[in-house]
Each structure stands twice: as C-alpha cells, then as structure tokens.
Amino acid sequence: MSAYNITSTHPAVFLLMGIPGLEHLHMWISIPFCSAYTLALLGNCTLIFIIRADAALHEPMYLFLAMLAAIDLVLSSTTLPKMLAIFWFRDREINFYACLVQMFFLHSFSIMESAMLLAMAFDRYVAICKPLHYTTILTRPLIAKIGMAAVTRAVTLMTPLPFLLRSFHYCRGPMIAHCYCEHMAVVRLACGDTRFNNIYGIAVAMFIVVLDLLFVVLSYIFILRAVLQLASQEARYKAFGTCVSHIGAILSFYTPVVISSVMHRVARRAAPHVHILLANFYLLFPPMINPIIYGVKTKQIRERVLGLFLRK
C-alpha cells in the first residue's frame, strides 16, 4: 500500500484504468491493438531499413518518409507496450515521473509528426511547382534543418508541461481514466488552479493543427493549380499521382484528430470509453497505415520491398 501514499506534492505512482467500462473486454481489445502495433513495428522498420540501405532512395521525399517512420515508431512504442501490459497482465501502475516522461514523448512526437507531414507537403510543392530547382532547394543541409526545426518546436512547446504538472498537489486520487498518461487526464487529478494548463494545452493543439494544416492546404492549392496547367492529361495524372500517398498520410493523421475533437464537443455525454477508443485509434492508425500507404502507392518502395522478400 505504501506505493500509493501521497507525498507532499504528488503520488508515487498513478494507476492507469485502461478503458473504463470495458474492463471485461480488455483481453479481446488487446488483439487488434497488438496486431496494429506489430504491423507498425514491421512496416516502419522495413521502410527505414530500405531507405537507409538503398542509395537511390536518398532523395528528399524518401528522407522525409524515413523521418516520419522513425517518429511513428517512437509514437506507438511510447504507449502501446504499457497498454498491452494493462490488458494482458493488469499491470496498471506507472511511476509518477515515468508518467510525465510518457506524456512528454507522446505529445512531442505527435507534434513532430504534424511537422513532418507539413515538410512532405513542401517537398511535393517544390517537386511539382518548381521541378527545375528541386535539387537546389531541397538540399541535405536544408532537410537536416527542417528535421531539427520539427524536433525543436515540439520539445520547446512540450517542455513546460511536465514541470507544471510536477508542481501540482494531487488530491483526487491516483486513478487515471485512460490507457496512458495524456495531459488533460493527469490535470483532472490535480487540485488548485489548473486554468493555465487547460488554456495552454488547447492553445498548443489549435496552434499546431490549424497552422500546419493551413500550410498543407495552401501547398496543395498551389500544387493543384500547377497540375491543371500541364498540357496533357497523362502528365497531370502522373504529377498528382506522386501526392496520393502523402494525402493518404495526412488523412490518416488529421481525420481522427478532427473526429475526436468534434466528439468531445458534440457528444459530451457519450460513455468515457468512446472518447478513449477514439484517442487510441488516433495513436494506432497512422503508424500502422503509413507504411502500407507508401508501400502500396510508391513504386520505388514497393519494388524494394518485393525485392527484399523475394531474395529471402
């Protein structure tokens, strides 16, 4: 029982409830979760290995794709192992500081993923709207700077949260009604004035989603205009075909975000497990589906994957 004692400011451990209301189905729910995580690991590791091993794929589009795959690996591995431990072994305890670390990585890498999708939109814009300057604009140093900027933005925005949460006194018990340490789920257990955390969390989410999505949409407006100006239908189809995989990745990332946001406002009285399942879908779906999208729709990746398995 000593593990649950409250110190002067915070509990030694939190207890993750998993999916409240569906505890009796945890074992069954773990099957699609484990399958999705396995696919995410295999798919993203394969992408990184193929892009790293093949010098012909050391182009901006594929370097950004490798970064996206690495982000997806960390994003899914931050939460899924602990979630499966809850479902399989009822291991609900998580150390207070481990909870803050999990929350930091979860939100930081979500922000990095959004930034990487924006960078890939910029890549497609340059490739289609300024094809003659593609290699001179998207140089290795610029790609490295874009990657560092994505990391710096995420870390800068998320660093205050663990320190803010550490300063609170937690008087509402150690039970987190979630599968992982999500920021607002932890804030709900804190006493005192949490308005700054609430406002900061919403402001960061709106800033990231609105700003990144706005620039992605603008990129595709310019891309569409450039594609429609091409002389032949075949050239238009080929040019826009290079964007299909990226559009799929954008939809897989932002659609669950929008649906979850709408559900929180429209269906506030919905059972808690509905919102938690949507949040889990947001974490599971993009890392699982992105390698499939790029593996199926990108000829160079598809050929390398087939060649890899045929050799074996």
Side-chain angles (χ1 to χ4, degrees):
M1 291 296 291
S2 61
Y4 304 103
N5 288 342
I6 306 297
T7 68
S8 58
T9 57
H10 57 74
V13 298
F14 283 125
L15 292 176
L16 295 166
M17 293 176 65
I19 304 177
L22 298 180
E23 289 88 351
H24 60 293
L25 296 176
H26 275 180
M27 191 59 70
W28 292 104
I29 293 170
S30 71
I31 296 172
F33 277 47
C34 183
S35 301
Y37 183 49
T38 303
L39 286 172
L41 288 178
L42 290 174
N44 288 295
C45 286
T46 302
L47 277 180
I48 293 170
F49 173 77
I50 288 172
I51 293 169
R52 185 177 183 276
D54 194 335
L57 296 179
H58 292 178
E59 297 177 5
M61 174 182 172
Y62 301 109
L63 294 176
F64 285 134
L65 178 56
M67 292 181 197
L68 182 67
I71 290 167
D72 279 338
L73 276 175
V74 177
L75 189 58
S76 55
S77 297
T78 298
T79 55
L80 262 298
K82 183 61 181 178
M83 286 166 61
L84 293 175
I86 295 169
F87 295 154
W88 289 342
F89 311 115
R90 298 183 181 179
D91 180 16
R92 298 180 177 182
E93 287 190 18
I94 184 167
N95 179 273
F96 177 79
Y97 292 102
C99 182
L100 297 187
V101 170
Q102 186 189 59
M103 182 205 69
F104 176 79
F105 273 83
L106 168 67
H107 294 304
S108 294
F109 278 84
S110 294
I111 292 172
M112 288 181 212
E113 177 141 3
S114 181
M116 203 47 54
L117 290 172
L118 175 57
M120 294 169 83
F122 176 65
D123 168 76
R124 291 299 85 207
Y125 163 75
V126 176
I128 293 172
C129 299
K130 301 180 184 295
L132 298 178
H133 304 286
Y134 182 68
T135 54
T136 56
I137 293 175
L138 281 169
T139 59
R140 290 284 183 88
L142 179 61
I143 293 168
K145 287 176 184 177
I146 290 172
M148 287 303 299
V151 173
T152 302
R153 183 181 72 159
V155 170
T156 302
L157 289 173
M158 286 299 107
T159 295
L161 292 185
F163 293 99
L164 288 168
L165 291 173
R166 187 175 179 273
S167 67
F168 287 128
H169 178 69
Y170 293 86
C171 61
R172 296 189 174 94
M175 305 288 287
I176 297 176
H178 218 301
C179 299
Y180 51 83
C181 291
E182 190 266 336
H183 173 234
M184 290 311 300
V186 177
V187 168
R188 290 188 190 100
L189 303 180
C191 303
D193 189 356
T194 61
R195 283 178 296 178
F196 179 78
N197 281 69
N198 295 333
I199 293 169
Y200 187 79
I202 293 169
V204 169
M206 292 298 293
F207 170 75
I208 296 301
V209 173
V210 172
L211 189 68
D212 288 1
L213 201 51
L214 174 65
F215 282 114
V216 168
V217 170
L218 284 174
S219 296
Y220 273 97
I221 289 172
F222 288 120
I223 288 169
L224 187 60
R225 189 175 68 176
V227 168
L228 293 175
Q229 289 175 351
L230 294 174
S232 68
Q233 186 174 349
E234 184 181 351
R236 289 195 293 269
Y237 177 79
K238 185 177 179 181
F240 203 70
T242 63
C243 302
V244 171
S245 298
H246 181 243
I247 292 171
I250 290 169
L251 291 174
S252 75
F253 181 78
Y254 285 109
T255 302
V257 174
V258 173
I259 292 173
S260 181
S261 178
V262 170
M263 284 292 292
H264 271 289
R265 284 153 183 78
V266 174
R268 289 184 179 180
R269 295 184 181 179
H273 65 258
V274 174
H275 298 294
I276 292 172
L277 285 171
L278 277 172
N280 290 332
F281 181 74
Y282 160 68
L283 283 180
L284 280 167
F285 190 65
M288 178 191 71
I289 203 68
N290 284 344
I292 297 172
I293 291 172
Y294 280 95
V296 171
K297 297 301 296 183
T298 308
K299 182 182 177 183
Q300 292 87 339
I301 297 289
R302 186 172 64 247
E303 287 176 349
R304 268 62 169 194
V305 171
L306 290 173
L308 181 68
F309 285 103
L310 287 173
R311 280 202 305 272
K312 290 185 177 182

PDB file of all heavy atoms in Angstrom, residues 46-78:
ATOM      1  N   THR A  46      10.843  -1.655 -41.714  1.00  0.00           N
ATOM      2  CA  THR A  46      11.150  -2.014 -43.100  1.00  0.00           C
ATOM      3  C   THR A  46      11.404  -0.777 -43.945  1.00  0.00           C
ATOM      4  O   THR A  46      12.365  -0.734 -44.734  1.00  0.00           O
ATOM      5  CB  THR A  46       9.997  -2.838 -43.714  1.00  0.00           C
ATOM      6  OG1 THR A  46       9.787  -4.011 -42.927  1.00  0.00           O
ATOM      7  CG2 THR A  46      10.308  -3.240 -45.145  1.00  0.00           C
ATOM      8  N   LEU A  47      10.568   0.247 -43.786  1.00  0.00           N
ATOM      9  CA  LEU A  47      10.761   1.499 -44.530  1.00  0.00           C
ATOM     10  C   LEU A  47      12.126   2.112 -44.227  1.00  0.00           C
ATOM     11  O   LEU A  47      12.863   2.503 -45.135  1.00  0.00           O
ATOM     12  CB  LEU A  47       9.659   2.501 -44.178  1.00  0.00           C
ATOM     13  CG  LEU A  47       8.323   2.398 -44.913  1.00  0.00           C
ATOM     14  CD1 LEU A  47       7.375   3.478 -44.420  1.00  0.00           C
ATOM     15  CD2 LEU A  47       8.516   2.525 -46.423  1.00  0.00           C
ATOM     16  N   ILE A  48      12.453   2.218 -42.947  1.00  0.00           N
ATOM     17  CA  ILE A  48      13.730   2.825 -42.553  1.00  0.00           C
ATOM     18  C   ILE A  48      14.904   2.012 -43.102  1.00  0.00           C
ATOM     19  O   ILE A  48      15.871   2.577 -43.634  1.00  0.00           O
ATOM     20  CB  ILE A  48      13.816   2.943 -41.015  1.00  0.00           C
ATOM     21  CG1 ILE A  48      12.783   3.947 -40.509  1.00  0.00           C
ATOM     22  CG2 ILE A  48      15.220   3.364 -40.584  1.00  0.00           C
ATOM     23  CD1 ILE A  48      12.611   3.960 -39.001  1.00  0.00           C
ATOM     24  N   PHE A  49      14.825   0.689 -43.005  1.00  0.00           N
ATOM     25  CA  PHE A  49      15.905  -0.177 -43.483  1.00  0.00           C
ATOM     26  C   PHE A  49      16.106  -0.027 -44.992  1.00  0.00           C
ATOM     27  O   PHE A  49      17.246   0.121 -45.472  1.00  0.00           O
ATOM     28  CB  PHE A  49      15.589  -1.638 -43.143  1.00  0.00           C
ATOM     29  CG  PHE A  49      16.560  -2.616 -43.743  1.00  0.00           C
ATOM     30  CD1 PHE A  49      17.822  -2.795 -43.199  1.00  0.00           C
ATOM     31  CD2 PHE A  49      16.218  -3.345 -44.886  1.00  0.00           C
ATOM     32  CE1 PHE A  49      18.727  -3.684 -43.766  1.00  0.00           C
ATOM     33  CE2 PHE A  49      17.112  -4.240 -45.458  1.00  0.00           C
ATOM     34  CZ  PHE A  49      18.367  -4.409 -44.898  1.00  0.00           C
ATOM     35  N   ILE A  50      14.993  -0.035 -45.752  1.00  0.00           N
ATOM     36  CA  ILE A  50      15.090   0.044 -47.217  1.00  0.00           C
ATOM     37  C   ILE A  50      15.651   1.393 -47.648  1.00  0.00           C
ATOM     38  O   ILE A  50      16.535   1.472 -48.513  1.00  0.00           O
ATOM     39  CB  ILE A  50      13.702  -0.206 -47.854  1.00  0.00           C
ATOM     40  CG1 ILE A  50      13.338  -1.687 -47.726  1.00  0.00           C
ATOM     41  CG2 ILE A  50      13.681   0.214 -49.319  1.00  0.00           C
ATOM     42  CD1 ILE A  50      11.925  -2.013 -48.149  1.00  0.00           C
ATOM     43  N   ILE A  51      15.157   2.466 -47.048  1.00  0.00           N
ATOM     44  CA  ILE A  51      15.613   3.805 -47.425  1.00  0.00           C
ATOM     45  C   ILE A  51      17.084   3.999 -47.042  1.00  0.00           C
ATOM     46  O   ILE A  51      17.863   4.592 -47.793  1.00  0.00           O
ATOM     47  CB  ILE A  51      14.721   4.885 -46.775  1.00  0.00           C
ATOM     48  CG1 ILE A  51      13.310   4.825 -47.377  1.00  0.00           C
ATOM     49  CG2 ILE A  51      15.313   6.277 -46.967  1.00  0.00           C
ATOM     50  CD1 ILE A  51      12.282   5.643 -46.644  1.00  0.00           C
ATOM     51  N   ARG A  52      17.476   3.470 -45.889  1.00  0.00           N
ATOM     52  CA  ARG A  52      18.869   3.609 -45.455  1.00  0.00           C
ATOM     53  C   ARG A  52      19.813   2.783 -46.325  1.00  0.00           C
ATOM     54  O   ARG A  52      20.928   3.210 -46.645  1.00  0.00           O
ATOM     55  CB  ARG A  52      18.995   3.164 -43.993  1.00  0.00           C
ATOM     56  CG  ARG A  52      20.375   3.383 -43.398  1.00  0.00           C
ATOM     57  CD  ARG A  52      20.399   2.978 -41.929  1.00  0.00           C
ATOM     58  NE  ARG A  52      21.702   3.245 -41.320  1.00  0.00           N
ATOM     59  CZ  ARG A  52      22.741   2.427 -41.389  1.00  0.00           C
ATOM     60  NH1 ARG A  52      22.638   1.284 -42.048  1.00  0.00           N
ATOM     61  NH2 ARG A  52      23.884   2.744 -40.805  1.00  0.00           N
ATOM     62  N   ALA A  53      19.363   1.591 -46.735  1.00  0.00           N
ATOM     63  CA  ALA A  53      20.241   0.668 -47.459  1.00  0.00           C
ATOM     64  C   ALA A  53      20.385   1.011 -48.940  1.00  0.00           C
ATOM     65  O   ALA A  53      21.395   0.665 -49.555  1.00  0.00           O
ATOM     66  CB  ALA A  53      19.716  -0.762 -47.305  1.00  0.00           C
ATOM     67  N   ASP A  54      19.395   1.663 -49.520  1.00  0.00           N
ATOM     68  CA  ASP A  54      19.389   1.927 -50.960  1.00  0.00           C
ATOM     69  C   ASP A  54      19.756   3.384 -51.229  1.00  0.00           C
ATOM     70  O   ASP A  54      18.971   4.294 -50.946  1.00  0.00           O
ATOM     71  CB  ASP A  54      18.003   1.604 -51.537  1.00  0.00           C
ATOM     72  CG  ASP A  54      18.021   1.534 -53.058  1.00  0.00           C
ATOM     73  OD1 ASP A  54      18.903   2.159 -53.676  1.00  0.00           O
ATOM     74  OD2 ASP A  54      17.150   0.851 -53.635  1.00  0.00           O
ATOM     75  N   ALA A  55      20.927   3.611 -51.795  1.00  0.00           N
ATOM     76  CA  ALA A  55      21.394   4.980 -52.063  1.00  0.00           C
ATOM     77  C   ALA A  55      20.490   5.713 -53.044  1.00  0.00           C
ATOM     78  O   ALA A  55      20.391   6.950 -53.009  1.00  0.00           O
ATOM     79  CB  ALA A  55      22.819   4.943 -52.605  1.00  0.00           C
ATOM     80  N   ALA A  56      19.800   4.961 -53.925  1.00  0.00           N
ATOM     81  CA  ALA A  56      18.895   5.583 -54.894  1.00  0.00           C
ATOM     82  C   ALA A  56      17.700   6.242 -54.217  1.00  0.00           C
ATOM     83  O   ALA A  56      17.020   7.090 -54.810  1.00  0.00           O
ATOM     84  CB  ALA A  56      18.407   4.533 -55.901  1.00  0.00           C
ATOM     85  N   LEU A  57      17.427   5.853 -52.961  1.00  0.00           N
ATOM     86  CA  LEU A  57      16.288   6.422 -52.231  1.00  0.00           C
ATOM     87  C   LEU A  57      16.710   7.541 -51.285  1.00  0.00           C
ATOM     88  O   LEU A  57      15.900   8.004 -50.481  1.00  0.00           O
ATOM     89  CB  LEU A  57      15.573   5.318 -51.432  1.00  0.00           C
ATOM     90  CG  LEU A  57      14.930   4.201 -52.249  1.00  0.00           C
ATOM     91  CD1 LEU A  57      14.277   3.181 -51.334  1.00  0.00           C
ATOM     92  CD2 LEU A  57      13.895   4.755 -53.241  1.00  0.00           C
ATOM     93  N   HIS A  58      17.957   7.985 -51.395  1.00  0.00           N
ATOM     94  CA  HIS A  58      18.418   9.080 -50.539  1.00  0.00           C
ATOM     95  C   HIS A  58      18.046  10.420 -51.168  1.00  0.00           C
ATOM     96  O   HIS A  58      18.890  11.298 -51.371  1.00  0.00           O
ATOM     97  CB  HIS A  58      19.924   8.970 -50.303  1.00  0.00           C
ATOM     98  CG  HIS A  58      20.296   7.782 -49.475  1.00  0.00           C
ATOM     99  ND1 HIS A  58      21.606   7.469 -49.166  1.00  0.00           N
ATOM    100  CD2 HIS A  58      19.526   6.825 -48.878  1.00  0.00           C
ATOM    101  CE1 HIS A  58      21.619   6.367 -48.428  1.00  0.00           C
ATOM    102  NE2 HIS A  58      20.374   5.961 -48.251  1.00  0.00           N
ATOM    103  N   GLU A  59      16.783  10.563 -51.478  1.00  0.00           N
ATOM    104  CA  GLU A  59      16.220  11.796 -52.031  1.00  0.00           C
ATOM    105  C   GLU A  59      15.321  12.433 -50.982  1.00  0.00           C
ATOM    106  O   GLU A  59      14.883  11.749 -50.038  1.00  0.00           O
ATOM    107  CB  GLU A  59      15.420  11.481 -53.302  1.00  0.00           C
ATOM    108  CG  GLU A  59      16.253  10.894 -54.432  1.00  0.00           C
ATOM    109  CD  GLU A  59      15.402  10.539 -55.640  1.00  0.00           C
ATOM    110  OE1 GLU A  59      14.189  10.841 -55.618  1.00  0.00           O
ATOM    111  OE2 GLU A  59      15.951   9.956 -56.591  1.00  0.00           O
ATOM    112  N   PRO A  60      15.033  13.738 -51.129  1.00  0.00           N
ATOM    113  CA  PRO A  60      14.246  14.425 -50.094  1.00  0.00           C
ATOM    114  C   PRO A  60      12.951  13.721 -49.707  1.00  0.00           C
ATOM    115  O   PRO A  60      12.660  13.549 -48.521  1.00  0.00           O
ATOM    116  CB  PRO A  60      13.972  15.785 -50.742  1.00  0.00           C
ATOM    117  CG  PRO A  60      15.134  16.008 -51.644  1.00  0.00           C
ATOM    118  CD  PRO A  60      15.499  14.663 -52.174  1.00  0.00           C
ATOM    119  N   MET A  61      12.169  13.276 -50.698  1.00  0.00           N
ATOM    120  CA  MET A  61      10.886  12.640 -50.415  1.00  0.00           C
ATOM    121  C   MET A  61      11.064  11.431 -49.495  1.00  0.00           C
ATOM    122  O   MET A  61      10.306  11.235 -48.535  1.00  0.00           O
ATOM    123  CB  MET A  61      10.228  12.209 -51.725  1.00  0.00           C
ATOM    124  CG  MET A  61       8.953  11.412 -51.553  1.00  0.00           C
ATOM    125  SD  MET A  61       8.290  10.887 -53.146  1.00  0.00           S
ATOM    126  CE  MET A  61       6.978   9.795 -52.602  1.00  0.00           C
ATOM    127  N   TYR A  62      12.066  10.603 -49.770  1.00  0.00           N
ATOM    128  CA  TYR A  62      12.268   9.369 -49.008  1.00  0.00           C
ATOM    129  C   TYR A  62      12.959   9.642 -47.672  1.00  0.00           C
ATOM    130  O   TYR A  62      12.720   8.924 -46.693  1.00  0.00           O
ATOM    131  CB  TYR A  62      13.056   8.364 -49.837  1.00  0.00           C
ATOM    132  CG  TYR A  62      12.358   8.033 -51.129  1.00  0.00           C
ATOM    133  CD1 TYR A  62      12.851   8.479 -52.350  1.00  0.00           C
ATOM    134  CD2 TYR A  62      11.164   7.307 -51.128  1.00  0.00           C
ATOM    135  CE1 TYR A  62      12.188   8.199 -53.532  1.00  0.00           C
ATOM    136  CE2 TYR A  62      10.501   7.023 -52.312  1.00  0.00           C
ATOM    137  CZ  TYR A  62      11.020   7.478 -53.508  1.00  0.00           C
ATOM    138  OH  TYR A  62      10.354   7.210 -54.680  1.00  0.00           O
ATOM    139  N   LEU A  63      13.794  10.667 -47.612  1.00  0.00           N
ATOM    140  CA  LEU A  63      14.407  11.038 -46.335  1.00  0.00           C
ATOM    141  C   LEU A  63      13.344  11.537 -45.365  1.00  0.00           C
ATOM    142  O   LEU A  63      13.368  11.195 -44.168  1.00  0.00           O
ATOM    143  CB  LEU A  63      15.479  12.102 -46.558  1.00  0.00           C
ATOM    144  CG  LEU A  63      16.711  11.648 -47.353  1.00  0.00           C
ATOM    145  CD1 LEU A  63      17.649  12.815 -47.597  1.00  0.00           C
ATOM    146  CD2 LEU A  63      17.443  10.517 -46.632  1.00  0.00           C
ATOM    147  N   PHE A  64      12.397  12.341 -45.869  1.00  0.00           N
ATOM    148  CA  PHE A  64      11.271  12.777 -45.028  1.00  0.00           C
ATOM    149  C   PHE A  64      10.423  11.577 -44.609  1.00  0.00           C
ATOM    150  O   PHE A  64       9.940  11.510 -43.469  1.00  0.00           O
ATOM    151  CB  PHE A  64      10.408  13.792 -45.766  1.00  0.00           C
ATOM    152  CG  PHE A  64      11.013  15.165 -45.870  1.00  0.00           C
ATOM    153  CD1 PHE A  64      11.016  15.862 -47.071  1.00  0.00           C
ATOM    154  CD2 PHE A  64      11.568  15.781 -44.760  1.00  0.00           C
ATOM    155  CE1 PHE A  64      11.572  17.122 -47.169  1.00  0.00           C
ATOM    156  CE2 PHE A  64      12.124  17.050 -44.839  1.00  0.00           C
ATOM    157  CZ  PHE A  64      12.128  17.723 -46.049  1.00  0.00           C
ATOM    158  N   LEU A  65      10.245  10.635 -45.513  1.00  0.00           N
ATOM    159  CA  LEU A  65       9.468   9.429 -45.205  1.00  0.00           C
ATOM    160  C   LEU A  65      10.154   8.608 -44.110  1.00  0.00           C
ATOM    161  O   LEU A  65       9.487   8.076 -43.211  1.00  0.00           O
ATOM    162  CB  LEU A  65       9.282   8.592 -46.465  1.00  0.00           C
ATOM    163  CG  LEU A  65       8.524   7.264 -46.315  1.00  0.00           C
ATOM    164  CD1 LEU A  65       7.145   7.494 -45.706  1.00  0.00           C
ATOM    165  CD2 LEU A  65       8.409   6.563 -47.664  1.00  0.00           C
ATOM    166  N   ALA A  66      11.474   8.513 -44.160  1.00  0.00           N
ATOM    167  CA  ALA A  66      12.226   7.793 -43.124  1.00  0.00           C
ATOM    168  C   ALA A  66      12.064   8.485 -41.767  1.00  0.00           C
ATOM    169  O   ALA A  66      11.916   7.822 -40.732  1.00  0.00           O
ATOM    170  CB  ALA A  66      13.701   7.708 -43.506  1.00  0.00           C
ATOM    171  N   MET A  67      12.082   9.819 -41.779  1.00  0.00           N
ATOM    172  CA  MET A  67      11.859  10.570 -40.538  1.00  0.00           C
ATOM    173  C   MET A  67      10.466  10.298 -39.990  1.00  0.00           C
ATOM    174  O   MET A  67      10.278  10.103 -38.783  1.00  0.00           O
ATOM    175  CB  MET A  67      12.036  12.078 -40.783  1.00  0.00           C
ATOM    176  CG  MET A  67      13.446  12.516 -41.089  1.00  0.00           C
ATOM    177  SD  MET A  67      13.499  14.321 -41.314  1.00  0.00           S
ATOM    178  CE  MET A  67      15.072  14.510 -42.138  1.00  0.00           C
ATOM    179  N   LEU A  68       9.473  10.294 -40.879  1.00  0.00           N
ATOM    180  CA  LEU A  68       8.090  10.014 -40.469  1.00  0.00           C
ATOM    181  C   LEU A  68       7.979   8.615 -39.873  1.00  0.00           C
ATOM    182  O   LEU A  68       7.308   8.417 -38.839  1.00  0.00           O
ATOM    183  CB  LEU A  68       7.151  10.148 -41.670  1.00  0.00           C
ATOM    184  CG  LEU A  68       5.647   9.932 -41.388  1.00  0.00           C
ATOM    185  CD1 LEU A  68       5.104  11.046 -40.513  1.00  0.00           C
ATOM    186  CD2 LEU A  68       4.872   9.849 -42.706  1.00  0.00           C
ATOM    187  N   ALA A  69       8.648   7.645 -40.485  1.00  0.00           N
ATOM    188  CA  ALA A  69       8.617   6.266 -39.979  1.00  0.00           C
ATOM    189  C   ALA A  69       9.260   6.185 -38.596  1.00  0.00           C
ATOM    190  O   ALA A  69       8.752   5.485 -37.710  1.00  0.00           O
ATOM    191  CB  ALA A  69       9.327   5.338 -40.958  1.00  0.00           C
ATOM    192  N   ALA A  70      10.368   6.892 -38.392  1.00  0.00           N
ATOM    193  CA  ALA A  70      11.034   6.896 -37.083  1.00  0.00           C
ATOM    194  C   ALA A  70      10.137   7.520 -36.020  1.00  0.00           C
ATOM    195  O   ALA A  70      10.036   7.016 -34.888  1.00  0.00           O
ATOM    196  CB  ALA A  70      12.361   7.650 -37.176  1.00  0.00           C
ATOM    197  N   ILE A  71       9.465   8.608 -36.381  1.00  0.00           N
ATOM    198  CA  ILE A  71       8.531   9.263 -35.451  1.00  0.00           C
ATOM    199  C   ILE A  71       7.391   8.315 -35.103  1.00  0.00           C
ATOM    200  O   ILE A  71       6.996   8.195 -33.936  1.00  0.00           O
ATOM    201  CB  ILE A  71       7.995  10.573 -36.071  1.00  0.00           C
ATOM    202  CG1 ILE A  71       9.100  11.624 -36.137  1.00  0.00           C
ATOM    203  CG2 ILE A  71       6.807  11.110 -35.269  1.00  0.00           C
ATOM    204  CD1 ILE A  71       8.766  12.822 -36.991  1.00  0.00           C
ATOM    205  N   ASP A  72       6.848   7.627 -36.097  1.00  0.00           N
ATOM    206  CA  ASP A  72       5.749   6.685 -35.855  1.00  0.00           C
ATOM    207  C   ASP A  72       6.183   5.539 -34.943  1.00  0.00           C
ATOM    208  O   ASP A  72       5.406   5.066 -34.110  1.00  0.00           O
ATOM    209  CB  ASP A  72       5.229   6.127 -37.181  1.00  0.00           C
ATOM    210  CG  ASP A  72       4.269   7.080 -37.882  1.00  0.00           C
ATOM    211  OD1 ASP A  72       3.696   7.946 -37.189  1.00  0.00           O
ATOM    212  OD2 ASP A  72       4.088   6.959 -39.105  1.00  0.00           O
ATOM    213  N   LEU A  73       7.419   5.082 -35.097  1.00  0.00           N
ATOM    214  CA  LEU A  73       7.940   4.020 -34.235  1.00  0.00           C
ATOM    215  C   LEU A  73       7.960   4.471 -32.770  1.00  0.00           C
ATOM    216  O   LEU A  73       7.511   3.738 -31.881  1.00  0.00           O
ATOM    217  CB  LEU A  73       9.351   3.628 -34.657  1.00  0.00           C
ATOM    218  CG  LEU A  73       9.490   2.609 -35.784  1.00  0.00           C
ATOM    219  CD1 LEU A  73      10.965   2.435 -36.143  1.00  0.00           C
ATOM    220  CD2 LEU A  73       8.891   1.266 -35.388  1.00  0.00           C
ATOM    221  N   VAL A  74       8.486   5.663 -32.535  1.00  0.00           N
ATOM    222  CA  VAL A  74       8.563   6.173 -31.162  1.00  0.00           C
ATOM    223  C   VAL A  74       7.166   6.451 -30.620  1.00  0.00           C
ATOM    224  O   VAL A  74       6.849   6.119 -29.466  1.00  0.00           O
ATOM    225  CB  VAL A  74       9.430   7.447 -31.095  1.00  0.00           C
ATOM    226  CG1 VAL A  74       9.448   8.018 -29.678  1.00  0.00           C
ATOM    227  CG2 VAL A  74      10.845   7.162 -31.560  1.00  0.00           C
ATOM    228  N   LEU A  75       6.306   7.042 -31.456  1.00  0.00           N
ATOM    229  CA  LEU A  75       4.956   7.409 -31.024  1.00  0.00           C
ATOM    230  C   LEU A  75       4.164   6.185 -30.574  1.00  0.00           C
ATOM    231  O   LEU A  75       3.527   6.202 -29.515  1.00  0.00           O
ATOM    232  CB  LEU A  75       4.229   8.117 -32.168  1.00  0.00           C
ATOM    233  CG  LEU A  75       2.877   8.763 -31.851  1.00  0.00           C
ATOM    234  CD1 LEU A  75       3.019   9.796 -30.746  1.00  0.00           C
ATOM    235  CD2 LEU A  75       2.302   9.408 -33.107  1.00  0.00           C
ATOM    236  N   SER A  76       4.211   5.120 -31.358  1.00  0.00           N
ATOM    237  CA  SER A  76       3.464   3.913 -30.995  1.00  0.00           C
ATOM    238  C   SER A  76       4.126   3.183 -29.824  1.00  0.00           C
ATOM    239  O   SER A  76       3.434   2.656 -28.940  1.00  0.00           O
ATOM    240  CB  SER A  76       3.329   2.981 -32.197  1.00  0.00           C
ATOM    241  OG  SER A  76       4.594   2.673 -32.752  1.00  0.00           O
ATOM    242  N   SER A  77       5.458   3.171 -29.758  1.00  0.00           N
ATOM    243  CA  SER A  77       6.165   2.465 -28.691  1.00  0.00           C
ATOM    244  C   SER A  77       6.093   3.202 -27.354  1.00  0.00           C
ATOM    245  O   SER A  77       6.364   2.610 -26.306  1.00  0.00           O
ATOM    246  CB  SER A  77       7.634   2.260 -29.074  1.00  0.00           C
ATOM    247  OG  SER A  77       7.728   1.434 -30.223  1.00  0.00           O
ATOM    248  N   THR A  78       5.737   4.470 -27.379  1.00  0.00           N
ATOM    249  CA  THR A  78       5.581   5.231 -26.138  1.00  0.00           C
ATOM    250  C   THR A  78       4.395   4.737 -25.321  1.00  0.00           C
ATOM    251  O   THR A  78       4.424   4.759 -24.090  1.00  0.00           O
ATOM    252  CB  THR A  78       5.410   6.732 -26.461  1.00  0.00           C
ATOM    253  OG1 THR A  78       6.584   7.204 -27.115  1.00  0.00           O
ATOM    254  CG2 THR A  78       5.183   7.560 -25.209  1.00  0.00           C
TER     255      THR A  78
END
